[in-house]
Amino acid sequence: MNVLLDHLPEFRDGFIGTVLLTAASALLAMVLGLVMAGFRVSPVPPLRFFGTAWVTLFRNTPLTLLFLVAWFVVPAVFGTGMSPWTKALLALGFYTSAFVCEAVRSGVSTVPLGQAEAARSLGMTFFQTLRLIVLPQATRTVVPPLSSIFIALTKNSAIAGAFSVTELFGVQKLLSDKGFAIAPIFLWVALAYLVITFTISGLFRLLERRLEVAR
Amino acid sequence: MSGVSVTKAADDAAPAADDLVVLSNVNKHFGALHVLQDIDLTIARGEVVVVIGPSGSGKSTLCRTINRLETIDSGAIAIDGKPLPQEGKELARLRADVGMVFQSFNLFAHKTVLENVTLGQIKVRKADKAAAEKKGRELLDRVGVGSQADKYPAQLSGGQQQRVAIARALAMDPKVMLFDEPTSALDPEMINEVLEAMQQLARDGMTMVVVTHEMGFARSAANRVVFMADGKIVEQATPDQFFSNPRSDRAKDFLSKILHH
């Protein structure tokens, strides 16, 4: 108990760090994932190829390896201006986008083909068809897997702690290095993660219910 | 109705300059199946062409190639003098001028009936919302589903859904309307309400290509009947000629099977 109360500022900073990093990476992953899903179902072969390559690369690379690339390869290629937080954001966002892309794509394939044919027959472009007709109808099937993906993202963000980004898991290292008993620290860190992941699953359950009511 | 047919028949003699849809030497394969074989078909402005034939004869595929929902392997298709472009903005523009009504309605399930008939106007034609809704309601009234405007498609009967689909296509002011077996998914008692809407459209002078099994509609509304079998156009004639005196054995066989029961 004392560990938590005595180091509330550290825990608080770690908690906020994890929430912010998770939220920012989730946003980046969502945008990239949607774009890549659009590429993967597009009628243009080079775009399809790019989307497939993106998913293959980022889904099959261990996240820690992506962090190492962000830390040591990215600065060598793009210069050294990036903060550790930004590098962590990129590694987490790119990695998670591959999973978002596949969840969205599986949702797209549940929408009957006739919906897209009707939209194209009205003269809508491919992207209008996707945005106005297909994706809104895919949402309901995409929401449950997205919830799991973002919970995984929350826990994956712990790797950033090992790369000296201020977040929850780093608090554990900080305090155990100072010689505090490990078990209570772990307990509090684990509970803090639970708060975040429960919030995510709660929000998504609400969203699911909203989408059920609509129509 | 026969009076209408007579005046329509006069249009058939219109000069070639008024050809709206021209298919020349069109071929298409589905794998090993040669589903369209050297198809030549010309549809004049204001003409109502009904395509009939046994299942698997390629008539639906033919209909879908006209707005390039199906690509073709060789040959050429032109609409109002313009060849069908590749997939992209230009094709989208051209498709907006070609109305399509599907067997399975394909109304946008997440949009209300009114939204279904305004979406294309707003997003493709860039009409403003109020004007699009006014026109949408008029068209819904015209096909007799005006009172359903705020419902979702799933709350409507099949016949109502198909009439909304016709209104949705008309909202784009198409030059030609394609009907791909519009009544084949309907309960028998709902077929007439859809056919009546189509007959009204034919009387108003819309250019129509109708793939159907409704011989009554072919008799009463068509200027020309195109009979397809095994990927080929076997016979073309006016409805009277075709139904009373088919020339080909294939057509005689087909008609004897569908008319004698």
Side-chain angles (χ1 to χ4, degrees):
Chain A
M1 185 53 119
N2 279 348
V3 188
L4 176 67
L5 292 180
D6 294 349
H7 300 90
L8 212 49
E10 284 92 337
F11 272 101
R12 190 196 56 210
D13 290 351
F15 183 79
I16 292 172
T18 292
V19 169
L20 286 182
L21 185 58
T22 303
S25 316
L27 195 67
L28 178 64
M30 203 57 217
V31 172
L32 282 174
L34 275 172
V35 171
M36 290 305 149
F39 282 8
R40 288 206 74 177
V41 298
S42 106
V44 185
L47 291 185
R48 272 208 304 274
F49 176 81
F50 184 81
T52 310
W54 180 278
V55 169
T56 309
L57 179 66
F58 288 108
R59 197 169 56 164
N60 296 309
T61 311
L63 183 54
T64 314
L65 196 62
L66 285 183
F67 266 89
L68 289 170
V69 170
W71 251 256
F72 300 112
V73 180
V74 170
V77 180
F78 297 101
T80 50
M82 259 180 236
S83 70
W85 195 85
T86 311
K87 287 184 274 195
L89 166 72
L90 290 181
L92 285 167
F94 281 37
Y95 177 79
T96 308
S97 74
F99 295 90
V100 172
C101 167
E102 290 304 272
V104 171
R105 199 167 62 97
S106 77
V108 165
S109 65
T110 63
V111 179
L113 193 61
Q115 294 284 311
E117 285 187 346
R120 287 159 64 207
S121 298
L122 285 182
M124 289 189 199
T125 61
F126 171 76
F127 284 104
Q128 280 181 319
T129 302
L130 201 59
R131 186 167 54 86
L132 299 170
I133 305 302
V134 177
L135 285 181
Q137 296 189 63
T139 312
R140 222 180 329 174
T141 24
V142 175
V143 164
L146 274 187
S147 165
S148 302
I149 289 169
F150 290 140
I151 286 171
L153 168 64
T154 311
K155 297 180 292 176
N156 286 339
S157 72
I159 294 179
F163 286 80
S164 63
V165 174
T166 307
E167 57 79 63
L168 261 175
F169 199 68
V171 176
Q172 165 271 134
K173 190 173 180 303
L174 183 84
L175 295 184
S176 54
D177 282 355
K178 286 188 184 169
F180 291 99
I182 274 180
I185 301 174
F186 276 6
L187 182 69
W188 290 119
V189 168
L191 280 176
Y193 273 111
L194 267 186
V195 170
I196 300 174
T197 52
F198 269 39
T199 308
I200 292 176
S201 57
L203 284 176
F204 272 86
R205 209 168 310 138
L206 267 178
L207 190 62
E208 259 177 77
R209 210 169 306 153
R210 278 273 300 278
L211 289 170
E212 255 168 48
V213 177
R215 172 173 88 83
Chain B
M1 193 60 64
S2 63
V4 174
S5 297
V6 171
T7 50
K8 283 253 172 190
D11 291 341
D12 287 353
D18 221 23
D19 292 343
L20 190 54
V21 180
V22 180
L23 290 84
S24 37
N25 208 16
V26 168
N27 280 281
K28 179 176 179 65
H29 296 79
F30 281 133
L33 182 67
H34 198 171
V35 67
L36 295 179
Q37 302 178 23
D38 302 321
I39 300 289
D40 287 302
L41 182 63
T42 301
I43 294 146
R45 206 177 298 275
E47 194 181 16
V48 177
V49 172
V50 169
V51 184
I52 61 176
S55 302
S57 58
K59 55 194 192 305
S60 269
T61 308
L62 175 75
C63 184
R64 290 163 56 88
T65 58
I66 296 174
N67 69 351
R68 209 172 179 279
L69 283 180
E70 299 284 355
T71 55
I72 56 177
D73 298 338
S74 67
I77 299 176
I79 292 175
D80 212 2
K82 291 192 212 88
L84 278 187
Q86 293 293 304
E87 197 73 41
K89 284 239 159 57
E90 212 182 324
L91 179 63
R93 252 197 304 280
L94 190 135
R95 277 188 181 133
D97 291 337
V98 180
M100 178 98 184
V101 175
F102 299 88
Q103 181 176 350
S104 48
F105 328 135
N106 294 343
L107 292 179
F108 303 134
H110 63 307
K111 300 280 185 192
T112 65
V113 164
L114 185 62
E115 286 166 343
N116 264 276
V117 291
T118 56
L119 196 65
Q121 299 182 63
I122 294 169
K123 299 294 178 179
V124 178
R125 297 289 195 215
K126 312 292 179 200
D128 76 59
K129 193 157 179 270
E133 285 188 354
K134 183 165 175 288
K135 184 172 175 187
R137 286 188 193 277
E138 280 168 12
L139 285 166
L140 290 174
D141 283 338
R142 183 165 149 197
V143 294
V145 285
S147 57
Q148 315 290 329
D150 298 316
K151 291 187 181 168
Y152 284 92
Q155 296 169 290
L156 271 54
S157 74
Q160 290 171 328
Q161 288 191 50
Q162 194 61 300
R163 284 182 283 153
V164 174
I166 292 172
R168 175 176 69 177
L170 289 177
M172 307 300 290
D173 296 320
K175 291 176 182 165
V176 51
M177 289 277 284
L178 309 175
F179 293 82
D180 184 7
E181 302 203 24
T183 57
S184 298
L186 294 174
D187 290 344
E189 76 250 46
M190 292 171 183
I191 289 176
N192 272 337
E193 58 191 61
V194 172
L195 291 181
E196 272 161 27
M198 290 167 61
Q199 264 163 346
Q200 177 64 47
L201 205 54
R203 280 196 293 273
D204 293 346
M206 175 61 75
T207 310
M208 295 163 69
V209 178
V210 184
V211 173
T212 188
H213 294 290
E214 293 299 325
M215 299 305 144
F217 178 81
R219 270 181 200 278
S220 62
N223 301 124
R224 180 159 43 124
V225 172
V226 170
F227 175 70
M228 282 186 78
D230 306 319
K232 297 190 195 86
I233 292 179
V234 178
E235 191 168 339
Q236 302 189 47
T238 63
D240 282 351
Q241 278 174 338
F242 180 78
F243 288 108
S244 57
N245 190 18
R247 283 165 309 201
S248 63
D249 291 341
R250 193 71 186 81
K252 281 176 193 157
D253 182 49
F254 177 76
L255 288 174
S256 74
K257 278 178 186 150
I258 59 162
L259 296 178
H260 292 174
H261 62 81

